[in-house]
Amino acid sequence: MDSRRITYRALADATRELDGRGLTHAHINMLANGYDRPSMRAMELLARACGVAPDYFAEFRLAAAMRELDPAEVGLEQALANLNARVGARRRSAPRPDAHARLCS
């Protein structure tokens, strides 16, 4: 917002143009100052209004990860599959202990 010199009111107007409802400037102010937690919808609207991807926001990435691991949201089997995929990806990207030893020698 600072680099684009946009006010909370202008940002609220931009979000309103996107879906007809948008966000109020007061709500954006509360989000910006940490008095409220943004919903996925709010982050998606703000991102679109600012011309960035929603995953620009760390909070969006965290909420998306929590949602895909929540059995109430995706079902137990899918939540477990998502968890296994994340753990597998992390294991594949982690250096092996022997590789670490060679690098540090």
Side-chain angles (χ1 to χ4, degrees):
M1 287 180 62
D2 289 338
S3 66
R4 295 181 184 187
R5 294 186 179 170
I6 189 169
T7 65
Y8 293 142
R9 284 188 192 280
L11 188 54
D13 291 342
T15 63
R16 197 169 302 112
E17 290 174 15
L18 292 170
D19 77 348
R21 288 183 15 211
L23 304 171
T24 66
H25 72 279
H27 188 205
I28 294 171
N29 184 22
M30 290 182 70
L31 294 172
N33 290 299
Y35 293 112
D36 197 4
R37 290 183 47 201
S39 65
M40 296 286 283
R41 175 186 168 273
M43 288 183 281
E44 289 169 344
L45 281 172
L46 290 168
R48 286 178 55 203
C50 292
V52 298
D55 64 359
Y56 172 84
F57 301 114
E59 294 89 346
F60 184 87
R61 295 190 306 271
L62 178 60
M66 289 173 59
R67 180 178 283 175
E68 78 177 24
L69 298 174
D70 184 355
E73 290 284 333
V74 297
L76 180 59
E77 292 300 319
Q78 186 61 53
L80 290 172
N82 293 342
L83 177 61
N84 287 331
R86 284 181 172 274
V87 169
R90 177 170 275 188
R91 285 185 181 153
R92 286 188 297 275
S93 68
R96 295 182 186 177
D98 57 338
H100 179 65
R102 283 194 305 264
L103 292 173
C104 295
S105 299

